[in-house]
Amino acid sequence: MFSIKNLFKTGAVLIFIGFLALAGIYLSMRSSLPSVESLKDLQWQTPMQIFSSDGKLISQFGEKKRIPLTLDEMPQQLINAILATEDDRFYLHFGVDPIGMGRAIIGQLTGQNRGGASTITMQVARNFFLTREQTYVRKIREIFISFHIESLLTKDEILALYMNKISLGHRSFGFGAAAQVYYGKETKELTLAQIAVLAGLPKAPSTLNPISRPDRALKRRAVVLQRMYVAGYITSEQLANANQEPVTAVKHGAEIELSAPYIAEMAHQEMIDRFGKEAAYTGGYKVFTTVTSKLQAAAQQAVVDNIFAYDQRHGYRGPLATIRPVDESVTTAMVSDDAQIKPITANEAIEALSSLDSYHSIEPAVVTQVMEQSAKVRLQDGSEVNIGWQGLAWARAYINDDKQAAPPSIAKDILTTGDIVMVSAVESGYRLSQLPEVSAALVSLATDNGAIKAAVGGFSFNQSQFNRVTQAKRQVGSNIKPFIYSAALENGYNLASIVNDAPINQWDRSSGVVWRPKNSPPVYNGEIRFRLALAQSKNVIAVRLLREVGLDKIIPYLATFGFNPHDLPRNESLALGSASLTPIEVATGFATFANGGFLIKPYLIERIEDSFGKVLFQANPAIACDNCDQSIDKVSESSNAPLNSEDIFNFNAADNFDDIELTARVINKAPRIISAQNAFLITEALNSAIWGADWNIKPFWQGTGFRARVLKRRDIAGKTGTTNEAKDAWFSGYSRRIVTTSWIGFDNPSRNLGQSSYNSNLSKDQTTGKEFGAKSAQPTWINFMKVALTEFPVEPFEQPEALMSVRIDKASGKLTTKTDKSSRFEYFELGTAPTEYIRQDISSEILDGEDAVINVEDSIFD
């Protein structure tokens, strides 16, 4: 009896000493223990996602894959699986499970340690604040931190932290990301068997991984299911059915819904500039861009199709390489002239193609058989397909950018067995193709606020990350002329002004040569009207207008359109487009004509949300408008002072994004840089570049952009552009609401697009014909706008105030009373209309004599 009493006393003393020791350890460690207050306002290290304006995922940046979920968003069976497997008394203990810890201690003493001491709370403490080192000091710190966490957070909050933080392999953190990585599903879509696999991963994500170790994952799944059954979470029937299912995990990436890599990189870089690289990659930002999936897809298709069309009309450059058909004992080698041709096996073809990439619709293939006018090729997946003559006949041999060989007559003129080539699937089967060397770009902006609606910076981002939309400064050619003509309107010219379309010969003292700018084509019409000169893109007239206005006025004037003055050469070649600008700069300049005279600023990011949908930033771009000083009509009565474009909007996570529009903010007004009248008159001339002006008098008086008539939209305007030696080709055009610029050229500035005249003698070396804006760049613009314009109803450009319309004689630009085809109505700013009538008794069709005129002072114009 005495001994038992002493034993209890001794035990009590030891327990008391243990508590004292524990308290002492806590006091000594207290100052070094991390604060767990940060768990109340935790920022998850979640990858950044880039979306289109209509919510399509474009790209994801960041190494860690995490999809934070609230506990309500997680399926109950997943929660049950975690509790049954990791901590079945989670809702009963105070952060440390004495029973589990006692079992672990006994296991240590008996050499049968099976774990079980770490609760979910302790794992949260370790994952957020500690390392995984196996020391007693770390374990004690883990226990103390667990006490803090339990006093600060509810059990549900702790469980949610665990299920979003835990590492589950393949760089997935949390069960939301793991469901996507292993099964390509949301957690609510998982089956019981899949849930059990994921719930078994926390113990050892690498060795129990269902992708790399499906055998071990299967055994671990059985353990999880058995524990769920014992805990009463599933029935015996559910247990049996789940155990019979195979392990189906396959690695999935983020499901990209819209291919727009150049857009993704632009948004990615802007986010780094805003938040820094580390924060951008781990902050869980959801970035919604201004591009729409419909227009971006149309832009991508238009650019790629036009690049293929250009590339193939310039000839076939031959195979990527050639392998010799060999026996299995012989390694792959290059073909020699005396090689004995043997059949190429599927394995040989697949091995030869294994390191090659596909681009868009083209993929690598090995030629396995060449017939008279067809060939068989084997693809990377091992399948063999046929290419008929329809897919081969285009392949004239490439000689240089201007020349191609005569058309082939049989397949052996093009291909040899063993050639590694690129092919593409088409409606009729397969077609021989090749990886293009030419580059191109397209950018489309909303004319009223600068929102980027679509942008494609090249043929393939995988091939080249150089974004030609924003980075390629190229000579703009005749795309500069509307701005030169706009300056002329500001300096006394009007659409009916007569200008001299005649050759220029000027001695250049600095170079010692005569400068002779030429029209393209070299056709000169003598005196023609201002509108026609721009519609026909007359080079010599652009030079004459620049001379009249003067470089000292022209360069500052062009700079108001957003062009860097340093990119504008201070010589008369400026009138011919020697300035080097990026496509987005050109499109921004043309937007001024479309929106009535305002300079908009392109922008890409519409809004930024955190990982839980809270809006962190909402764009407030400057708007092209005259009467927009008032605030938005729908203003919340309780709102604070109006906000400007630099404000960052903060809303509660529960707020609906639609409600943001009710927040009071002042509309930013874009600066007016030219008059509405000037913008309208230039647009009128550029409309003639498409729809023609006076072409019924002289056939060549149709505009250079006439191919756009296929769109059957009268409410469009545009301008071609071709540089010297055809190194660059452009087309820029717009409707009232959208402006688009298309460019094509080689990254290597020494190459030209093709500048020779066409040779119809097919039996000799021949040329493709001269490349120019309408032929090389405009097809991209047309194919894109064919889709884009469906988003906008027909909207004629609105005639501003202070403009009048009077009937003029087409040949002289003077007033006329005739109503036949020799006359037309023309627009003029008030005070600039002609005041002289052409003599009624002299036909306006007599163009080789001086026109007799009469003066009028007080005429009524309609």
Side-chain angles (χ1 to χ4, degrees):
M1 186 74 175
F2 178 76
S3 60
I4 293 176
K5 181 185 286 189
N6 285 341
L7 184 61
F8 275 114
K9 285 182 179 181
T10 302
V13 170
L14 290 175
I15 291 173
F16 180 70
I17 293 172
F19 275 117
L20 287 179
L22 195 61
I25 294 172
Y26 172 74
L27 290 174
S28 66
M29 286 186 174
R30 183 173 59 179
S31 59
S32 63
L33 291 176
S35 172
V36 298
E37 290 289 335
S38 59
L39 296 179
K40 292 289 287 183
D41 188 26
L42 183 66
Q43 298 295 319
W44 290 109
Q45 290 188 353
T46 308
M48 173 176 62
Q49 293 181 310
I50 312 294
F51 296 90
S52 65
S53 62
D54 49 338
K56 303 291 186 182
L57 181 62
I58 295 175
S59 189
Q60 178 170 291
F61 293 89
E63 291 186 0
K64 292 185 177 180
K65 304 177 182 71
R66 181 179 278 114
I67 304 174
L69 301 173
T70 63
L71 209 60
D72 291 338
E73 294 173 317
M74 299 179 190
Q76 187 60 46
Q77 284 287 45
L78 176 59
I79 295 172
N80 294 341
I82 293 301
L83 294 176
T85 307
E86 295 296 320
D87 191 351
D88 57 351
R89 284 181 294 277
F90 173 70
Y91 282 96
L92 302 177
H93 61 65
F94 46 86
V96 175
D97 183 6
I99 297 175
M101 187 165 288
R103 185 171 61 241
I105 292 172
I106 293 173
Q108 286 274 14
L109 296 175
T110 60
Q112 297 180 343
N113 182 25
R114 295 183 180 179
S118 288
T119 64
I120 285 177
T121 309
M122 293 170 70
Q123 291 186 62
V124 168
R126 179 170 64 246
N127 288 333
F128 279 96
F129 302 110
L130 301 171
T131 66
R132 299 187 69 88
E133 61 177 342
Q134 298 294 323
T135 64
Y136 290 109
V137 173
R138 196 271 297 162
K139 197 68 176 179
I140 293 172
R141 287 168 62 86
E142 185 180 297
I143 292 171
F144 290 152
I145 294 172
S146 298
F147 292 156
H148 278 284
I149 293 173
E150 290 276 347
S151 66
L152 183 69
L153 304 176
T154 67
K155 286 288 189 179
D156 284 353
E157 288 173 332
I158 296 170
L159 183 58
L161 287 174
Y162 172 81
M163 296 184 72
N164 282 311
K165 174 70 173 179
I166 192 72
S167 174
L168 297 171
H170 288 286
R171 296 183 178 177
S172 63
F173 293 80
F175 288 92
Q180 170 63 44
V181 168
Y182 292 108
Y183 299 109
K185 296 181 177 181
E186 296 183 25
T187 54
K188 63 184 179 182
E189 301 171 325
L190 296 172
T191 66
L192 176 59
Q194 292 168 341
I195 284 173
V197 169
L198 297 186
L201 285 173
K203 182 178 181 180
S206 58
T207 59
L208 299 176
N209 194 285
I211 295 176
S212 57
R213 298 302 302 269
D215 54 336
R216 292 192 177 186
L218 188 66
K219 293 178 181 179
R220 180 61 176 169
R221 184 186 71 178
V223 172
V224 173
L225 290 170
Q226 182 63 31
R227 291 183 181 179
M228 292 181 72
Y229 173 70
V230 170
Y233 293 132
I234 59 175
T235 65
S236 58
E237 183 180 0
Q238 289 175 308
L239 172 66
N241 290 338
N243 271 325
Q244 290 175 2
E245 290 189 23
V247 175
T248 58
V250 177
K251 188 174 181 180
H252 294 76
E255 187 176 351
I256 302 301
E257 300 171 285
L258 174 64
S259 177
Y262 290 101
I263 288 290
E265 183 55 34
M266 290 166 68
H268 164 231
Q269 189 56 55
E270 185 172 339
M271 289 296 291
I272 290 177
D273 294 341
R274 282 176 178 269
F275 299 105
K277 189 170 184 179
E278 182 176 355
Y281 281 4
T282 62
Y285 299 113
K286 294 180 179 178
V287 183
F288 291 86
T289 65
T290 56
V291 304
T292 67
S293 57
K294 180 179 179 180
L295 297 193
Q296 181 62 33
Q300 183 75 48
Q301 193 66 48
V303 169
V304 170
D305 287 349
N306 191 54
I307 286 177
F308 279 138
Y310 168 87
D311 188 70
Q312 292 190 3
R313 69 174 172 261
H314 282 261
Y316 178 57
R317 293 184 296 276
L320 301 175
T322 303
I323 61 171
R324 180 170 58 203
V326 294
D327 296 329
E328 292 184 2
S329 59
V330 183
T331 58
T332 300
M334 300 303 295
V335 164
S336 60
D337 293 336
D338 58 351
Q340 182 179 359
I341 300 301
K342 299 177 183 178
I344 296 176
T345 67
N347 288 338
E348 289 170 343
I350 293 172
E351 181 181 355
L353 300 174
S354 61
S355 62
L356 300 179
D357 295 323
S358 297
Y359 300 90
H360 298 298
S361 61
I362 62 173
E363 57 182 312
V366 173
V367 178
T368 56
Q369 187 177 356
V370 180
M371 285 79 77
E372 184 174 0
Q373 287 195 327
S374 65
K376 288 185 178 181
V377 298
R378 194 172 298 278
L379 307 178
Q380 281 181 314
D381 62 4
S383 62
E384 193 173 51
V385 299
N386 188 69
I387 303 178
W389 187 243
Q390 188 176 0
L392 295 172
W394 68 269
R396 294 180 297 158
Y398 169 88
I399 298 175
N400 57 43
D401 292 330
D402 293 319
K403 287 185 176 183
Q404 299 80 42
S409 56
I410 59 174
K412 288 185 178 180
D413 293 340
I414 308 164
L415 300 172
T416 301
T417 300
D419 282 352
I420 299 177
V421 298
M422 302 296 285
V423 299
S424 60
V426 294
E427 290 184 4
S428 58
Y430 275 81
R431 177 183 178 88
L432 178 66
S433 188
Q434 61 188 351
L435 187 61
E437 294 180 347
V438 73
S439 297
L442 179 143
V443 61
S444 187
L445 309 175
T447 60
D448 288 322
N449 62 6
I452 297 174
K453 309 308 292 183
V456 180
F459 172 72
S460 169
F461 190 79
N462 291 335
Q463 181 191 34
S464 170
Q465 288 77 54
F466 183 61
N467 188 345
R468 294 151 191 89
V469 166
T470 59
Q471 296 175 292
K473 285 188 176 291
R474 304 295 296 235
Q475 288 192 345
V476 295
S478 293
N479 258 206
I480 202 69
K481 288 176 184 173
F483 306 100
I484 302 292
Y485 278 67
S486 175
L489 288 178
E490 290 294 314
N491 287 271
Y493 284 84
N494 59 56
L495 292 187
S497 295
I498 299 298
V499 284
N500 188 19
D501 181 25
I504 293 175
N505 293 283
Q506 177 180 315
W507 175 257
D508 187 342
R509 292 182 179 179
S510 62
S511 63
V513 297
V514 176
W515 186 48
R516 294 187 177 94
K518 297 179 181 179
N519 287 341
S520 179
V523 176
Y524 302 88
N525 305 119
E527 293 186 341
I528 64 172
R529 297 194 322 279
F530 186 99
R531 175 194 284 264
L532 300 182
L534 181 52
Q536 296 179 46
S537 196
K538 294 291 189 177
N539 287 339
V540 295
I541 290 179
V543 174
R544 294 185 192 281
L545 293 177
L546 183 145
R547 287 179 176 179
E548 286 293 322
V549 177
L551 278 170
D552 290 340
K553 289 184 179 180
I554 284 282
I555 289 180
Y557 187 84
L558 267 58
T560 63
F561 289 87
F563 307 147
N564 188 331
H566 299 295
D567 294 329
L568 307 175
R570 294 192 63 85
N571 58 64
E572 292 180 352
S573 70
L574 175 62
L576 306 181
S578 60
S580 293
L581 304 171
T582 64
I584 199 169
E585 290 174 326
V586 174
T588 301
F590 272 86
T592 296
F593 300 128
N595 65 33
F598 299 91
L599 179 64
I600 49 92
K601 182 178 181 180
Y603 74 102
L604 178 61
I605 295 180
E606 184 63 39
R607 75 180 186 274
I608 303 170
E609 297 179 0
D610 67 12
S611 56
F612 293 102
K614 180 180 178 181
V615 178
L616 305 176
F617 167 80
Q618 173 66 45
N620 187 22
I623 308 295
C625 56
D626 275 319
N627 303 312
C628 56
D629 292 329
Q630 68 275 20
S631 297
I632 298 175
D633 293 335
K634 297 180 180 180
V635 178
S636 170
E637 293 181 0
S638 61
S639 63
N640 296 319
L643 303 171
N644 60 41
S645 62
E646 299 302 320
D647 285 308
I648 293 180
F649 298 86
N650 290 283
F651 301 92
N652 295 324
D655 287 343
N656 188 297
F657 180 68
D658 293 337
D659 296 335
I660 294 173
E661 298 301 327
L662 301 179
T663 301
R665 68 172 185 259
V666 170
I667 297 179
N668 291 326
K669 184 177 178 180
R672 174 174 286 286
I673 58 172
I674 61 174
S675 69
Q677 295 77 21
N678 186 302
F680 180 81
L681 295 175
I682 292 297
T683 294
E684 273 291 300
L686 295 180
N687 178 266
S688 293
I690 293 174
W691 283 102
D694 305 352
W695 57 269
N696 54 317
I697 294 180
K698 294 186 177 181
F700 51 80
W701 277 15
Q702 64 182 344
T704 57
F706 72 91
R707 290 169 175 83
R709 294 178 193 174
V710 70
L711 297 174
K712 299 181 181 179
R713 292 283 292 249
R714 290 273 180 175
D715 60 331
I716 56 175
K719 184 71 189 75
T720 54
T722 311
T723 64
N724 190 34
E725 298 180 351
K727 292 182 181 293
D728 301 270
W730 300 75
F731 190 86
S732 295
Y734 53 89
S735 70
R736 173 60 188 87
R737 302 297 170 185
I738 190 168
V739 58
T740 303
T741 289
S742 167
W743 167 86
I744 187 170
F746 287 96
D747 290 333
N748 181 350
S750 67
R751 293 186 64 176
N752 66 69
L753 292 167
Q755 54 181 338
S756 299
S757 300
Y758 185 75
N759 181 350
S760 61
N761 186 354
L762 301 182
S763 63
K764 300 178 181 179
D765 288 356
Q766 58 183 240
T767 62
T768 306
K770 183 176 176 63
E771 298 284 347
F772 47 90
K775 178 181 179 181
S776 310
Q778 192 181 21
T780 301
W781 186 91
I782 290 173
N783 288 331
F784 170 74
M785 292 295 276
K786 190 180 298 181
V787 177
L789 289 175
T790 64
E791 301 288 296
F792 306 96
V794 173
E795 184 179 3
F797 294 96
E798 184 178 353
Q799 179 181 337
E801 297 178 354
L803 278 185
M804 64 168 60
S805 176
V806 300
R807 188 177 287 277
I808 65 167
D809 174 66
K810 290 180 178 180
S812 66
K814 296 181 175 66
L815 298 174
T816 183
T817 57
K818 289 188 175 183
T819 59
D820 58 15
K821 292 182 178 180
S822 68
S823 68
R824 65 161 292 155
F825 280 101
E826 189 57 277
Y827 293 99
F828 299 90
E829 291 193 56
L830 293 179
T832 67
T835 58
E836 296 176 329
Y837 275 99
I838 188 167
R839 286 276 302 269
Q840 300 302 306
D841 58 342
I842 298 179
S843 172
S844 63
E845 295 183 3
I846 300 175
L847 305 178
D848 56 351
E850 286 196 24
D851 298 322
V853 298
I854 58 174
N855 293 323
V856 295
E857 294 185 2
D858 298 316
S859 298
I860 298 175
F861 304 101
D862 56 357

